Each structure stands twice: as C-alpha cells, then as structure tokens.
Amino acid sequence: MRIVSDNLQAKLDAHATTFCACWRVKRKDGVVMGFTDHDRDIVFSGLIYRARSGLAPTEIESGLGFAPGGGEVAGALRDDGLTEADLANGVYDGASVESWLVDWSAPQDRVLLDIATIGEVRRGESAFSAELRSGAHIFDQPRGSYFQRDCAADLGDARCRVDLAKFTTTGAVAAVIDGAILADLGGEYEPGFFTGGTLRFTSGANAGARATIAAHSQEGRRASLVSWSAPAQTPMPGDALTLVAGCDKAAESCARKFGNIANFRGFPLMPGNDRVISYPGPNAPMMDGGSFFR
C-alpha cells in the first residue's frame, strides 16, 4: 500500500495538477541516471532528472497475485541521454527502474509508483522503447534441477568448474567483411571452437560490448567470427577483443573438448520421446524389458 501525504493527496484531488513522471535508472555497473517527461530538469534525493531525454511512459499494468505486471517507456535516442550504442551493447540490460509521480512545482511532494527491471529493448532509427518488468517476473525463472540430456550448468560456473582461462584467447580485428569479423587470434583453434561462445571488445568504439558467437571458422591464426547480434559500431582494424570458447552442453563435448565429464550436469543416457511412445513389436527388438544400453 502506498502512503500519500495529505498535501500530495490534496493536489491529486485538485482539478488542475502539476505532476510529471520521473524515472531513476540504476544500471548493473552502478551508474545511476535520472529522466523526466517534464520540460525542465527536476532535482530530488541528490539526483538530477534530465528533461531532454524525450521519455514518455505507457500504461502500467499490475494486479493481485504472482502474475508479472509491466509497462513500457519510449523515448528518443540522444547523445546526452540514452544512446543507441549503449542500448545495442546491453549496457541497460537488467537495469533497475524506479517510476515516480512528482509535483514539478514542489518535488518534495512525490510518490513511488513502481520498481521494475528493463527487459526487451526495441530500437528504431531515432527512437527506442524499453519493456519494464515488475518484480514478479523473477517467479517465472526456472528454479531447481531438471532431468535433461544436456548439461544444466553454464561453462565456467560453480557447478561446471571449468577454468575459463584455459579456453580464453585474445586477438585484434583485421577487417569486417559482409558482417563477419576477421580477427587475428593468439593461437590456432579448430573451426567451431568458439561457436556459441562469447566475444567481448576491449578497445575501440565498442569497448565493453559483448556478443554471442553464431559461427566460427579459422585458418591458421586468422579467424572469421559471426555474432548473433551486430555491434552498435562497425569494428575497426586494431580493435582488441577477447574470445571465450563455446559449449553446446553435450556430454561428448564436455569429455572431448573440456575434459570435464566428471562435472557434467545432465543425464545423457536418459531415454528420449521415441522410447516413451514406442511399444513391443517385431521391429523393436530393444523392447524386451532389458537394458537400452547393453
């Protein structure tokens, strides 16, 4: 239940109001920014809420129960506010957003409406829109363990225990041809070694940006890398990057590529759907009650 002061309630009940929306955005890297849909900057709690961001809210949905509510905020891409490069590089992914209703003539009269998390971001030529997910969206995330053939761990996490340093290399961009990044790496790797892995730029216009590698081929130390999402800025020759090997979460890869089968977090011998729906017959010699793996 929101607690509203008598003074603020009186303003809410008035026929003419002086209210505006303000957003306090806290990114995962600790940077805090303020935005407002008012035509002048507003200051409260030691933070300046910029008016030139061009942000505008949509309807926010919420209700009783555990169903996640949400809304959306849209705005223009500006150099002094939210930039296309930052959005494309995932700088705001998972950022916390506080939505405030503020009396711009007396900012001390305000009420916190919601605390949400930035979800999907859609970008256009000169504008963007960001999904705001309520705290209840956490309940939609998987919890616990699943019985599945593939590994449930992520490469290098506490359950996997693989030393990522042994499967990480550095390099530099040589050229960009038809969306593929040609890079000179610090070693020779078999084609596909980095497919599904991570590419991170450590210098240049895209410094700090990460992308998932969709395809990797290599001859000598010259590698060709295609990412699922293109970087915000075209990489330039000499831009430094770091690559982490990809893992397809299969037991064979865990044993052959990483030598880590002892920590495999899946059930590779679990019967699949074809076994579940099959039945005894002359063409199904394995359906005799014996082991599937004899």
Side-chain angles (χ1 to χ4, degrees):
M1 180 178 178
R2 299 185 182 93
I3 299 177
V4 179
S5 66
D6 294 338
N7 188 38
L8 181 59
Q9 186 62 56
K11 293 181 178 180
L12 290 171
D13 294 337
H15 294 291
T17 62
T18 53
F19 288 103
C20 64
C22 292
W23 299 273
R24 180 183 184 272
V25 179
K26 183 176 182 180
R27 304 187 324 207
K28 286 188 173 181
D29 58 5
V31 175
V32 179
M33 307 174 71
F35 306 96
T36 180
D37 61 357
H38 189 47
D39 57 359
R40 296 182 181 180
D41 292 350
I42 297 176
V43 181
F44 63 86
S45 298
L47 181 64
I48 300 176
Y49 291 78
R50 304 288 183 183
R52 292 181 294 173
S53 60
L55 292 180
T58 64
E59 181 180 5
I60 298 176
E61 298 179 355
S62 63
L64 297 176
F66 293 106
E72 193 174 79
V73 63
L77 295 167
R78 303 175 60 98
D79 291 337
D80 55 353
L82 296 166
T83 66
E84 181 178 10
D86 287 343
L87 291 171
N89 292 334
V91 173
Y92 291 91
D93 290 354
S96 172
V97 181
E98 294 181 0
S99 299
W100 290 84
L101 182 65
V102 181
D103 180 1
W104 54 262
S105 64
Q108 68 273 14
D109 291 332
R110 59 183 184 271
V111 61
L112 177 63
L113 299 178
D114 192 21
I115 299 178
T117 301
I118 293 181
E120 180 183 3
V121 177
R122 296 182 295 277
R123 294 177 291 118
E125 293 183 359
S126 59
F128 76 96
S129 62
E131 176 190 17
L132 298 181
R133 299 174 179 171
S134 70
H137 84 279
I138 298 176
F139 293 106
D140 284 341
Q141 299 177 8
R143 290 291 186 271
S145 300
Y146 289 84
F147 288 96
Q148 59 186 35
R149 290 193 176 191
D150 295 338
C151 183
D154 292 325
L155 184 66
D157 68 10
R159 294 187 297 167
C160 173
R161 302 182 184 179
V162 162
D163 183 3
L164 287 182
K166 298 180 180 180
F167 301 94
T168 301
T169 190
T170 57
V173 175
V176 178
I177 301 178
D178 296 330
I181 299 174
L182 302 183
D184 295 320
L185 305 184
E188 297 184 13
Y189 299 89
E190 62 181 20
F193 185 84
F194 292 103
T195 299
T198 303
L199 180 157
R200 180 171 63 89
F201 291 94
T202 55
S203 71
N206 297 296
R210 295 175 178 267
T212 300
I213 301 171
H216 161 237
S217 59
Q218 188 164 341
E219 291 184 7
R221 294 197 174 190
R222 174 64 60 86
S224 175
L225 305 166
V226 178
S227 61
W228 284 111
S229 58
Q233 305 293 332
T234 301
M236 301 299 294
D239 287 356
L241 47 80
T242 298
L243 302 179
V244 179
C247 177
D248 61 6
K249 298 183 180 293
E252 181 181 358
S253 300
C254 187
R256 180 184 61 85
K257 185 175 181 178
F258 301 103
N260 192 48
I261 193 63
N263 293 314
F264 185 74
R265 303 296 177 176
F267 302 86
L269 303 182
M270 183 175 65
N273 291 336
D274 55 338
R275 297 290 188 183
V276 174
I277 64 176
S278 61
Y279 54 89
N283 297 324
M286 296 294 289
M287 300 297 293
D288 59 1
S291 172
F292 287 148
F293 308 101
R294 58 191 170 189

